[in-house]
Amino acid sequence: MKEFSTIPQHIAIVMDGNGRWAKKHFFKRIIGHRYGIDALRNTVRESSNLGVKTLTVFAFSEENWNRPSTEVASLMKLMKDYLIKEREPLHKKNIKIMTIGNIEKLPHEVQVELKKSKELTKHNTKMNFILAVSYSGRSEIIRATKAIVKDIENHKLESQAINEDIFSHYLDTKGLPDPDLFIRTSGEVRVSNFLLWQIAYSEIYITKTLWPDFTVEELHKAIEAYGKRERRFGLVKT
Ligand code: FPP
């Protein structure tokens, strides 16, 4: 197995470029998403093999609800089929399936499969695999703020006590470490409302590779680049 100087504990990925990949190959957009699933499967397996402890992927954003209804429906079906097919193999690999985002907005049958997948894998310890679905960073921060206000009103929390640590506990990612490495495919140099709070100190790696072409070697390149970065977290070099 390939050796790396440092393995990021938490990798977050914006899996972008499925549509462009499909166009390039004269396919319908949905075929791009289908090939995107293969790239996802390989990335999850390799991340776990390498000892990554948490992998978060942007599977569907809040903004994606505004895509043509046929594409939304196809993505929901893909997600449902993916969960049905993958939860057992992931369970066998001791991987815990989790979600962040506004899950209640998803079609009932997708919610059911997500629930089953989370329930089956909840005691697994090798790697957290977090699907961000119907997720947007701003909406997560607003939901957290509303929950904080409610707890203050119910005298469960004192406003003076709020600090970064307490605020983090109201986010969907509570209890999880912040991403060390943030990967975006397809060359776009944007954060696109993904994990806004959590990526404060993440190293960002952008590759021109379109997501369906993101191979294990591409993941290795990102981890290698991460290993060469010097992380200072706002401090001075010692
Ligand atoms: C971006 O490509 C990708 C998405 C909107 C969804 C990502 C989904 C997958 C990789 C497959 C489904 C995932 C699961 C877990 C079932 P794009 O359509 O924005 O591409 P473009 O920018 O080239 O048009």
Side-chain angles (χ1 to χ4, degrees):
M1 196 160 73
K2 205 165 157 57
E3 297 277 324
F4 296 94
S5 59
T6 328
I7 295 290
Q9 287 295 289
H10 183 173
I11 300 181
I13 310 183
V14 178
M15 308 181 287
D16 196 14
N18 295 348
R20 272 161 288 167
W21 184 92
K23 197 169 174 197
K24 197 173 128 189
H25 292 86
F26 307 101
F27 290 141
K28 285 185 185 159
R29 289 179 61 80
I30 189 62
I31 306 290
H33 295 311
R34 242 181 252 162
Y35 277 84
I37 297 237
D38 294 338
L40 176 61
R41 194 178 293 115
N42 293 336
T43 301
V44 175
R45 194 194 55 225
E46 184 64 3
S47 299
S48 169
N49 288 345
L50 290 172
V52 171
K53 294 309 291 177
T54 303
L55 174 72
T56 306
V57 296
F58 210 175
F60 192 87
S61 72
E62 287 259 41
E63 291 74 21
N64 288 156
W65 289 117
N66 300 320
R67 290 196 173 192
S69 58
T70 47
E71 183 171 346
V72 170
S74 300
L75 275 167
M76 290 301 136
K77 172 142 180 24
L78 271 186
M79 196 161 331
K80 185 180 143 199
D81 293 349
Y82 173 81
L83 291 164
I84 293 171
K85 194 165 164 212
E86 293 297 320
R87 67 174 158 248
E88 274 297 341
L90 290 172
H91 182 48
K92 286 207 177 92
K93 285 188 165 291
N94 195 14
I95 293 171
K96 181 174 177 175
I97 302 171
M98 302 165 79
T99 55
I100 55 172
N102 234 324
I103 306 301
E104 303 80 56
K105 275 197 184 174
L106 295 165
H108 178 70
E109 66 269 24
V110 178
Q111 289 193 44
V112 168
E113 298 309 331
L114 277 174
K115 208 169 158 199
K116 280 190 200 164
S117 308
K118 289 198 257 187
E119 188 57 32
L120 175 72
T121 61
K122 69 180 176 194
H123 297 301
N124 292 347
T125 53
K126 178 88 172 79
M127 183 178 83
N128 299 316
F129 172 40
I130 306 175
L131 286 162
V133 271
S134 189
Y135 175 88
S136 100
R138 285 186 173 180
S139 142
E140 179 192 31
I141 289 169
I142 287 176
R143 278 188 282 114
T145 308
K146 284 182 178 164
I148 287 174
V149 170
K150 199 167 160 202
D151 277 358
I152 292 172
E153 283 170 357
N154 292 332
H155 307 287
K156 288 186 186 158
L157 178 69
E158 295 222 357
S159 58
Q160 290 307 315
I162 298 169
N163 57 25
E164 291 186 12
D165 192 37
I166 288 182
F167 194 88
S168 302
H169 279 79
Y170 284 85
L171 294 168
D172 296 354
T173 48
K174 65 174 169 291
L176 294 162
D178 288 341
D180 302 296
L181 174 61
F182 179 101
I183 299 174
R184 181 167 189 150
T185 57
S186 90
E188 305 292 349
V189 190
R190 278 194 294 277
V191 169
S192 292
N193 220 347
F194 192 36
L195 300 171
L196 293 182
W197 171 277
Q198 297 87 342
I199 59 167
Y201 289 103
S202 304
E203 293 296 328
I204 298 182
Y205 177 87
I206 312 267
T207 171
K208 286 212 165 93
T209 302
L210 303 173
W211 176 250
D213 289 331
F214 191 83
T215 55
V216 161
E217 290 70 36
E218 295 283 339
L219 178 67
H220 291 173
K221 271 194 232 166
I223 295 177
E224 229 149 44
Y226 169 80
K228 292 188 185 133
R229 306 270 178 97
E230 183 201 323
R231 303 187 76 192
R232 291 204 298 273
F233 300 97
L235 306 174
V236 289
K237 194 178 169 193
T238 50

